[in-house]
Amino acid sequence: MNFDLTEEQKLLKESARNFLSRECPRDLVRTLEEGKEFPPELWRKMTDLGWTGLIIPGEYGGSGGSFLDLAILFEEIGYHICPGPLFTTVVLGALPVMAWGTPEQKEDILPKIAGGERIMTLAVDEPGAYRRASSITAKASTAGDGFVIDGTKLFVPDADRADLLLCAARTGADEEEITLFIVEKDAPGITITPLQTLAGDRQFEVVFNGVPVKKERILGEPDRAWPIIEDIHRKATVILCAEMIGGAQAVMDMSLEYARERTQFNRPIGSFQAIQHHFANMLADISGSRYLFLKAAWKISEGRDASMDAAMAKARVGEAYRRVTILGHQIFGGIGFTKEHDMYLYHERSMTGDLKFGGADLHRARVAEELGL
């Protein structure tokens, strides 16, 4: 297992950092938090760089990159806290279609995602849901040669601008008789309502009221979708960990710059032992967490089971990101707690990222299960 980046990965990382430094400044992030639409021109430029098709096979218009390549890209996206529908479209949409879609579904969906023409998202969570198959109460009932879906989904990212919703619905009485449907966002019976979130990210309540869907739009096998959902969450968790470590690295970098320049008692504050220990703790958290998510991403790229590795990464990374941002606040002092300071943006994301796809306790429980406890 060699974590040294290839020349292509180094180029990807460098080009992403240069592009985002130029095209996604923190001022843009703030305006997007306030509800401004993600700039179509920025999305087009990301598409031109090949990000939307990075992991999609060449036969569908992508570049056929690995899952590890995707993780490296999202570490840079997290460094610059760049919002937008790339995560939802590629991670929550393209990856499951690649893994579980029929040839017709792949031909219909993947080239348009690679070309930046289609946005896709995942609608699984429900009120009171706790990441169990039994928590899915939305129902898909047979109707003619297809189904109609009724139910409510929460925390659906980018639902307002998505073209397709990957919706989980119950199709049988047994706990795990769940089916995934590819649903057009503009289908009759869908109501989308924005939710207010801590970090200003775009999450929505989506209500399905007799929404028709053809049986050809089932992803995977009917009644057998729960393993697919777990696979989606596992991969999304690893990419989220990459994004969070990118954010933690940005916090450490700007805190280092400040500690070298800010003086107290005629010396830089970075020369004081307490501040030095803060940075040592930051580095230990970031380095250990980066190892965990890279190992999980490498295993997924190699087609190996990464269940325990993904759970260990999420159990560690979310808490590590929060610790790093708290130490960054202490280094900056009072100015770092103001909403106008960049630290505020990263601290918001450390709190929300720690909870997405399950908090640390959930993933510690999964590690225990993998150990047979």
Side-chain angles (χ1 to χ4, degrees), residues 15-89:
S15 65
R17 179 162 295 196
N18 292 338
F19 172 80
L20 292 168
S21 297
R22 182 178 66 254
E23 301 289 343
C24 189
R26 306 304 194 282
D27 288 343
L28 174 60
V29 175
R30 288 187 177 86
T31 61
L32 295 176
E33 273 197 354
E34 296 167 0
K36 184 179 177 182
E37 184 67 27
F38 189 79
E41 180 67 14
L42 181 54
W43 181 247
R44 186 191 64 77
K45 290 178 179 179
M46 289 179 172
T47 300
D48 291 343
L49 286 171
W51 291 2
T52 52
L54 177 63
I55 201 170
I56 293 175
E59 63 191 287
Y60 300 112
S63 54
S66 69
F67 188 85
L68 184 56
D69 295 335
L70 194 65
I72 290 166
L73 172 62
F74 270 93
E75 186 176 357
E76 288 304 313
I77 289 173
Y79 190 96
H80 295 276
I81 50 176
C82 181
L86 189 68
F87 183 98
T88 53
T89 299

XYZ file of all heavy atoms in Angstrom, residues 15-89:
592
model
N -3.767 21.429 -9.900
C -4.670 22.203 -10.765
C -5.954 22.559 -10.030
O -6.501 23.660 -10.202
C -4.983 21.410 -12.039
O -5.714 20.234 -11.742
N -6.449 21.621 -9.173
C -7.652 21.911 -8.395
C -7.418 23.041 -7.414
O -8.259 23.935 -7.260
C -8.113 20.653 -7.660
N -6.256 23.018 -6.747
C -5.966 24.076 -5.778
C -5.838 25.427 -6.469
O -6.374 26.439 -6.001
C -4.689 23.752 -5.000
C -4.325 24.850 -3.995
C -3.363 24.384 -2.938
N -3.957 23.345 -2.083
C -3.454 22.983 -0.897
N -2.366 23.579 -0.436
N -4.029 22.046 -0.183
N -5.144 25.460 -7.594
C -4.983 26.727 -8.317
C -6.325 27.250 -8.816
O -6.625 28.446 -8.714
C -4.021 26.542 -9.493
C -2.598 26.289 -9.049
O -2.214 26.642 -7.927
N -1.800 25.670 -9.909
N -7.138 26.351 -9.356
C -8.437 26.755 -9.887
C -9.346 27.290 -8.782
O -9.961 28.354 -8.920
C -9.097 25.567 -10.583
C -10.514 25.817 -11.002
C -10.798 26.519 -12.162
C -11.578 25.344 -10.234
C -12.119 26.751 -12.541
C -12.883 25.566 -10.607
C -13.160 26.273 -11.767
N -9.439 26.565 -7.671
C -10.337 26.971 -6.600
C -9.851 28.230 -5.894
O -10.669 29.040 -5.441
C -10.511 25.828 -5.602
C -11.270 24.610 -6.161
C -11.147 23.414 -5.228
C -12.738 24.947 -6.395
N -8.545 28.401 -5.782
C -8.013 29.641 -5.195
C -8.463 30.850 -6.005
O -8.753 31.919 -5.454
C -6.478 29.587 -5.136
O -6.042 28.555 -4.298
N -8.526 30.656 -7.297
C -8.872 31.754 -8.194
C -10.385 31.922 -8.351
O -10.905 33.037 -8.336
C -8.230 31.490 -9.561
C -8.469 32.566 -10.599
C -7.744 32.240 -11.893
N -8.280 31.052 -12.561
C -7.679 29.876 -12.602
N -6.505 29.699 -12.001
N -8.238 28.854 -13.243
N -11.106 30.810 -8.483
C -12.516 30.857 -8.865
C -13.493 30.749 -7.699
O -14.675 31.052 -7.862
C -12.822 29.738 -9.867
C -12.003 29.793 -11.149
C -12.411 30.950 -12.051
O -13.518 31.499 -11.838
O -11.634 31.300 -12.954
N -13.026 30.280 -6.533
C -13.941 30.111 -5.398
C -13.357 30.756 -4.141
O -13.025 30.064 -3.166
C -14.223 28.627 -5.165
S -15.527 28.327 -3.947
N -13.222 32.092 -4.132
C -12.738 32.774 -2.928
C -13.756 32.683 -1.801
O -14.932 32.376 -2.023
C -12.550 34.218 -3.407
C -13.528 34.373 -4.540
C -13.571 33.034 -5.212
N -13.317 32.956 -0.579
C -14.213 32.842 0.577
C -15.399 33.805 0.478
O -16.479 33.515 0.985
C -13.448 33.118 1.878
C -12.197 32.314 2.129
C -12.386 30.826 2.105
N -11.262 30.098 2.657
C -10.120 29.863 2.049
N -9.918 30.318 0.827
N -9.151 29.168 2.646
N -15.217 34.946 -0.191
C -16.338 35.880 -0.352
C -17.473 35.248 -1.155
O -18.656 35.463 -0.866
C -15.868 37.165 -1.049
C -15.001 38.029 -0.147
O -15.031 37.804 1.082
O -14.288 38.914 -0.664
N -17.119 34.443 -2.157
C -18.140 33.745 -2.931
C -18.848 32.716 -2.058
O -20.076 32.575 -2.124
C -17.516 33.062 -4.142
C -18.456 32.178 -4.967
C -19.627 32.994 -5.524
C -17.700 31.475 -6.089
N -18.093 32.017 -1.212
C -18.697 31.030 -0.314
C -19.723 31.712 0.582
O -20.816 31.187 0.814
C -17.613 30.330 0.525
C -18.241 29.394 1.549
C -16.642 29.563 -0.369
N -19.399 32.902 1.082
C -20.328 33.627 1.954
C -21.602 34.012 1.220
O -22.710 33.893 1.758
C -19.651 34.877 2.519
C -18.591 34.584 3.572
C -18.089 35.875 4.214
N -17.145 35.574 5.267
C -15.840 35.376 5.077
N -15.343 35.473 3.838
N -15.042 35.088 6.076
N -21.471 34.471 -0.010
C -22.673 34.866 -0.753
C -23.547 33.644 -1.057
O -24.776 33.740 -1.045
C -22.307 35.575 -2.068
O -21.545 34.690 -2.900
C -21.490 36.830 -1.795
N -22.925 32.500 -1.302
C -23.695 31.297 -1.558
C -24.398 30.811 -0.304
O -25.498 30.247 -0.371
C -22.787 30.195 -2.122
C -22.177 30.481 -3.502
C -21.228 29.370 -3.911
C -23.280 30.650 -4.552
N -23.783 31.033 0.863
C -24.441 30.713 2.127
C -25.708 31.524 2.322
O -26.651 31.083 2.973
C -23.501 30.974 3.314
C -22.604 29.817 3.672
C -22.004 29.968 5.057
O -22.202 31.034 5.678
O -21.347 29.023 5.513
N -25.726 32.712 1.752
C -26.873 33.598 1.907
C -27.998 33.279 0.922
O -28.995 33.995 0.869
C -26.418 35.049 1.733
C -25.441 35.499 2.826
C -24.751 36.814 2.489
O -25.043 37.364 1.388
O -23.935 37.285 3.297
N -27.809 32.231 0.129
C -28.882 31.794 -0.755
C -28.695 32.109 -2.215
O -29.559 31.786 -3.032
N -27.563 32.708 -2.580
C -27.319 33.000 -3.990
C -27.128 31.702 -4.767
O -26.557 30.741 -4.266
C -26.080 33.891 -4.136
C -25.790 34.322 -5.563
C -24.560 35.213 -5.636
C -24.247 35.578 -7.083
N -23.029 36.416 -7.180
N -27.586 31.685 -6.001
C -27.486 30.499 -6.849
C -26.024 30.209 -7.178
O -25.223 31.117 -7.415
C -28.282 30.721 -8.139
C -28.333 29.523 -9.055
C -29.122 28.370 -8.470
O -30.025 28.612 -7.651
O -28.840 27.224 -8.851
N -25.672 28.915 -7.179
C -24.314 28.527 -7.558
C -24.056 28.984 -8.992
O -24.869 28.724 -9.883
C -24.153 27.010 -7.449
C -22.744 26.533 -7.610
C -21.842 26.630 -6.554
C -22.314 26.004 -8.808
C -20.533 26.183 -6.702
C -21.016 25.557 -8.971
C -20.116 25.646 -7.910
N -22.940 29.683 -9.242
C -22.714 30.278 -10.562
C -22.655 29.228 -11.671
O -21.813 28.318 -11.617
C -21.357 30.975 -10.402
C -21.180 31.168 -8.934
C -21.873 30.014 -8.289
N -23.530 29.302 -12.663
C -23.478 28.345 -13.782
C -22.131 28.342 -14.479
O -21.675 27.289 -14.954
C -24.593 28.841 -14.715
C -25.507 29.640 -13.847
C -24.630 30.259 -12.806
N -21.474 29.502 -14.525
C -20.176 29.573 -15.181
C -19.129 28.761 -14.425
O -18.272 28.107 -15.037
C -19.728 31.044 -15.286
C -18.383 31.257 -15.954
C -18.388 30.884 -17.432
O -19.479 30.711 -18.006
O -17.289 30.776 -18.011
N -19.203 28.776 -13.092
C -18.263 27.988 -12.289
C -18.509 26.497 -12.505
O -17.563 25.707 -12.598
C -18.404 28.353 -10.809
C -17.479 27.631 -9.825
C -16.020 27.777 -10.228
C -17.704 28.146 -8.407
N -19.773 26.099 -12.588
C -20.103 24.695 -12.857
C -19.570 24.272 -14.235
O -19.026 23.178 -14.390
C -21.609 24.508 -12.783
C -22.084 23.112 -13.017
C -22.817 22.653 -14.075
C -21.884 21.965 -12.181
N -23.081 21.321 -13.956
C -22.517 20.865 -12.792
C -21.227 21.776 -10.957
C -22.524 19.587 -12.240
C -21.226 20.500 -10.399
C -21.854 19.421 -11.037
N -19.705 25.162 -15.215
C -19.207 24.850 -16.556
C -17.697 24.681 -16.550
O -17.152 23.765 -17.190
C -19.604 25.953 -17.551
C -19.240 25.632 -18.998
C -19.407 26.833 -19.901
N -18.483 27.898 -19.543
C -17.189 27.904 -19.845
N -16.663 26.897 -20.524
N -16.434 28.927 -19.508
N -17.004 25.533 -15.794
C -15.549 25.423 -15.722
C -15.116 24.130 -15.032
O -14.128 23.504 -15.424
C -14.974 26.636 -14.994
C -15.079 27.934 -15.780
C -14.529 29.114 -14.981
C -14.622 30.402 -15.782
N -14.120 31.583 -15.014
N -15.851 23.721 -13.995
C -15.553 22.439 -13.347
C -15.741 21.286 -14.336
O -14.937 20.338 -14.363
C -16.476 22.242 -12.141
C -16.177 23.142 -10.957
S -17.357 22.827 -9.602
C -16.624 23.817 -8.292
N -16.797 21.387 -15.135
C -17.040 20.362 -16.146
C -15.924 20.339 -17.173
O -15.441 19.272 -17.568
C -18.388 20.622 -16.841
O -19.435 20.586 -15.867
C -18.659 19.580 -17.910
N -15.476 21.521 -17.597
C -14.386 21.603 -18.577
C -13.094 21.007 -18.039
O -12.283 20.463 -18.806
C -14.149 23.063 -18.983
C -15.292 23.641 -19.803
O -16.107 22.840 -20.327
O -15.390 24.878 -19.917
N -12.896 21.089 -16.716
C -11.716 20.487 -16.099
C -11.847 18.966 -15.979
O -10.880 18.291 -15.610
C -11.481 21.082 -14.713
C -10.924 22.505 -14.668
C -10.947 23.047 -13.239
C -9.492 22.541 -15.206
N -13.037 18.449 -16.247
C -13.254 17.010 -16.200
C -13.664 16.477 -14.849
O -13.686 15.257 -14.643
N -14.038 17.357 -13.912
C -14.360 16.907 -12.559
C -15.648 16.085 -12.537
O -15.731 15.104 -11.799
C -14.483 18.094 -11.622
C -13.185 18.786 -11.364
C -11.961 18.487 -11.907
C -12.957 19.901 -10.503
N -10.995 19.347 -11.443
C -11.583 20.227 -10.578
C -13.772 20.676 -9.692
C -11.020 21.270 -9.852
C -13.218 21.723 -8.971
C -11.852 22.012 -9.043
N -16.649 16.491 -13.317
C -17.914 15.756 -13.297
C -17.767 14.363 -13.902
O -18.549 13.461 -13.598
C -19.007 16.535 -14.050
O -18.508 16.889 -15.351
C -19.397 17.802 -13.291
N -16.770 14.183 -14.752
C -16.555 12.877 -15.367
C -15.304 12.182 -14.884
O -14.877 11.186 -15.491
N -14.722 12.669 -13.782
C -13.426 12.148 -13.327
C -13.440 10.640 -13.138
O -12.511 9.940 -13.550
C -13.027 12.837 -12.011
C -11.733 12.341 -11.363
C -10.538 12.611 -12.268
C -11.536 12.993 -9.995
N -14.490 10.123 -12.525
C -14.516 8.698 -12.182
C -15.398 7.887 -13.128
O -15.477 6.659 -13.025
C -14.987 8.531 -10.721
C -14.541 7.172 -10.165
C -16.471 8.757 -10.584
C -14.746 7.033 -8.676
N -16.042 8.560 -14.073
C -16.920 7.879 -15.033
C -16.077 7.248 -16.142
O -15.144 7.873 -16.659
C -17.941 8.879 -15.608
C -18.902 9.337 -14.498
C -18.725 8.276 -16.772
C -19.882 10.411 -14.914
N -16.372 6.008 -16.526
C -15.579 5.339 -17.575
C -15.585 6.110 -18.893
O -16.540 6.831 -19.218
C -16.283 3.984 -17.724
C -16.979 3.759 -16.423
C -17.397 5.128 -15.952
N -14.519 5.930 -19.645
C -14.373 6.634 -20.909
C -15.483 6.362 -21.902
O -15.840 7.235 -22.700
N -16.060 5.155 -21.868
C -17.131 4.823 -22.811
C -18.374 5.668 -22.594
O -19.248 5.744 -23.472
C -17.482 3.342 -22.702
C -18.025 2.933 -21.340
C -18.108 1.431 -21.169
O -19.015 0.827 -21.795
O -17.278 0.878 -20.430
N -18.478 6.315 -21.422
C -19.618 7.184 -21.127
C -19.201 8.659 -21.064
O -19.920 9.479 -20.492
C -20.276 6.773 -19.822
C -20.798 5.349 -19.841
C -20.204 4.365 -19.056
C -21.871 4.995 -20.662
C -20.674 3.053 -19.086
C -22.340 3.686 -20.697
C -21.737 2.721 -19.909
O -22.198 1.420 -19.949
N -18.055 8.977 -21.620
C -17.637 10.369 -21.706
C -16.786 10.867 -20.565
O -16.461 12.057 -20.519
N -16.411 9.978 -19.639
C -15.562 10.382 -18.526
C -14.103 10.055 -18.781
O -13.713 9.654 -19.873
N -13.293 10.227 -17.743
C -11.858 9.960 -17.874
C -11.438 8.675 -17.180
O -10.254 8.329 -17.193
C -11.051 11.144 -17.328
O -11.433 11.459 -15.997
N -12.373 7.961 -16.540
C -12.065 6.655 -15.968
C -11.117 6.691 -14.794
O -10.346 5.744 -14.582
N -11.147 7.750 -14.001
C -10.282 7.844 -12.826
C -10.716 6.883 -11.732
O -11.778 6.253 -11.806
N -9.895 6.784 -10.701
C -10.172 5.876 -9.586
C -10.914 6.607 -8.467
O -10.978 7.840 -8.434
C -8.869 5.304 -9.034
O -8.115 6.320 -8.382
N -11.434 5.827 -7.548
C -12.078 6.400 -6.359
C -11.076 7.208 -5.559
O -11.418 8.249 -4.974
C -12.676 5.280 -5.514
C -13.518 5.772 -4.369
C -14.855 6.088 -4.564
C -12.981 5.924 -3.105
C -15.641 6.549 -3.512
C -13.755 6.375 -2.045
C -15.085 6.689 -2.238
N -9.829 6.766 -5.518
C -8.782 7.508 -4.806
C -8.549 8.872 -5.463
O -8.336 9.873 -4.775
C -7.485 6.697 -4.774
C -6.313 7.279 -3.981
C -6.707 7.570 -2.533
C -5.122 6.327 -4.019
N -8.599 8.919 -6.794
C -8.495 10.212 -7.487
C -9.602 11.155 -7.029
O -9.374 12.350 -6.797
C -8.607 10.018 -9.003
C -7.467 9.215 -9.597
O -6.382 9.187 -8.995
O -7.671 8.603 -10.660
N -10.815 10.607 -6.894
C -11.953 11.420 -6.469
C -11.735 11.954 -5.057
O -12.041 13.119 -4.765
C -13.226 10.587 -6.539
C -14.558 11.331 -6.447
C -14.755 12.251 -7.640
C -15.718 10.334 -6.355
N -11.202 11.113 -4.170
C -10.926 11.547 -2.799
C -9.896 12.669 -2.778
O -10.020 13.636 -2.013
C -10.452 10.365 -1.963
N -8.879 12.571 -3.614
C -7.847 13.621 -3.687
C -8.457 14.934 -4.153
O -8.141 16.012 -3.629
C -6.714 13.163 -4.623
C -5.933 12.014 -3.969
C -5.774 14.323 -4.960
C -5.021 11.277 -4.907
N -9.340 14.868 -5.147
C -10.015 16.081 -5.619
C -10.847 16.703 -4.511
O -10.801 17.925 -4.290
C -10.900 15.738 -6.823
C -11.820 16.865 -7.306
C -11.013 18.075 -7.778
C -12.737 16.362 -8.424
N -11.589 15.890 -3.770
C -12.479 16.447 -2.752
C -11.717 16.947 -1.527
O -12.246 17.789 -0.791
C -13.555 15.441 -2.371
C -14.786 15.562 -3.228
C -14.929 14.785 -4.365
C -15.767 16.484 -2.924
C -16.041 14.914 -5.171
C -16.880 16.624 -3.720
C -17.026 15.829 -4.858
N -10.506 16.483 -1.313
C -9.712 17.095 -0.251
C -9.417 18.556 -0.591
O -9.462 19.434 0.273
C -8.407 16.330 -0.033
C -7.620 16.845 1.167
C -6.373 16.048 1.477
O -6.115 15.027 0.801
O -5.642 16.448 2.405
N -9.157 18.826 -1.853
C -8.932 20.210 -2.280
C -10.225 21.019 -2.236
O -10.211 22.204 -1.869
C -8.331 20.245 -3.687
C -6.896 19.795 -3.744
C -6.008 20.601 -2.810
O -6.103 21.845 -2.816
O -5.228 19.987 -2.060
N -11.334 20.411 -2.603
C -12.631 21.101 -2.520
C -12.919 21.471 -1.071
O -13.408 22.564 -0.774
C -13.737 20.219 -3.118
C -13.579 20.157 -4.645
C -15.122 20.746 -2.744
C -14.511 19.194 -5.336
N -12.616 20.563 -0.135
C -12.797 20.863 1.282
C -11.855 21.939 1.775
O -12.213 22.737 2.647
N -10.647 21.965 1.227
C -9.671 23.001 1.607
C -10.234 24.388 1.308
O -10.050 25.326 2.083
C -8.372 22.777 0.838
C -7.204 23.631 1.296
C -6.277 23.136 2.201
C -7.029 24.921 0.818
C -5.200 23.905 2.621
C -5.961 25.699 1.228
C -5.049 25.188 2.139
O -3.983 25.963 2.556
N -10.937 24.502 0.199
C -11.491 25.795 -0.216
C -12.981 25.914 0.116
O -13.611 26.887 -0.294
C -11.268 25.990 -1.712
C -9.824 26.096 -2.090
N -9.110 27.266 -2.036
C -8.948 25.141 -2.479
C -7.855 27.044 -2.396
N -7.734 25.767 -2.678
N -13.521 24.919 0.847
C -14.944 24.848 1.213
C -15.850 25.280 0.060
O -16.783 26.062 0.229
C -15.255 25.633 2.507
C -14.693 27.052 2.473
C -14.746 24.893 3.719
C -15.077 27.882 3.709
N -15.559 24.735 -1.118
C -16.324 25.087 -2.311
C -17.654 24.345 -2.294
O -17.686 23.113 -2.283
C -15.537 24.724 -3.564
S -16.397 25.151 -5.099
N -18.776 25.058 -2.292
C -20.086 24.407 -2.340
C -20.404 23.961 -3.764
O -19.540 23.972 -4.632
C -21.027 25.503 -1.851
C -20.354 26.762 -2.292
C -18.872 26.508 -2.240
N -21.643 23.591 -3.979
C -22.044 23.196 -5.318
C -22.478 21.744 -5.365
O -22.284 20.983 -4.418
N -23.063 21.329 -6.487
C -23.668 20.002 -6.589
C -22.730 18.893 -7.053
O -23.194 17.834 -7.468
C -24.775 20.233 -7.624
C -24.212 21.291 -8.524
C -23.382 22.188 -7.645
N -21.414 19.101 -6.985
C -20.492 18.066 -7.463
C -20.569 16.815 -6.599
O -20.600 15.694 -7.112
C -19.057 18.612 -7.489
C -18.031 17.709 -8.181
C -18.307 17.623 -9.667
C -16.609 18.222 -7.952
N -20.606 16.981 -5.272
C -20.662 15.832 -4.371
C -21.937 15.029 -4.616
O -21.897 13.801 -4.754
C -20.594 16.309 -2.918
C -20.570 15.197 -1.900
C -19.372 14.777 -1.357
C -21.738 14.580 -1.474
C -19.330 13.756 -0.416
C -21.723 13.558 -0.546
C -20.504 13.146 -0.015
N -23.065 15.715 -4.644
C -24.329 14.999 -4.802
C -24.408 14.304 -6.156
O -24.847 13.152 -6.252
C -25.525 15.954 -4.635
O -25.367 17.067 -5.516
C -25.614 16.461 -3.220
N -23.966 14.988 -7.199
C -24.107 14.439 -8.548
C -23.175 13.257 -8.793
O -23.592 12.212 -9.303
C -23.842 15.534 -9.591
O -24.801 16.584 -9.426
C -23.948 14.995 -11.004
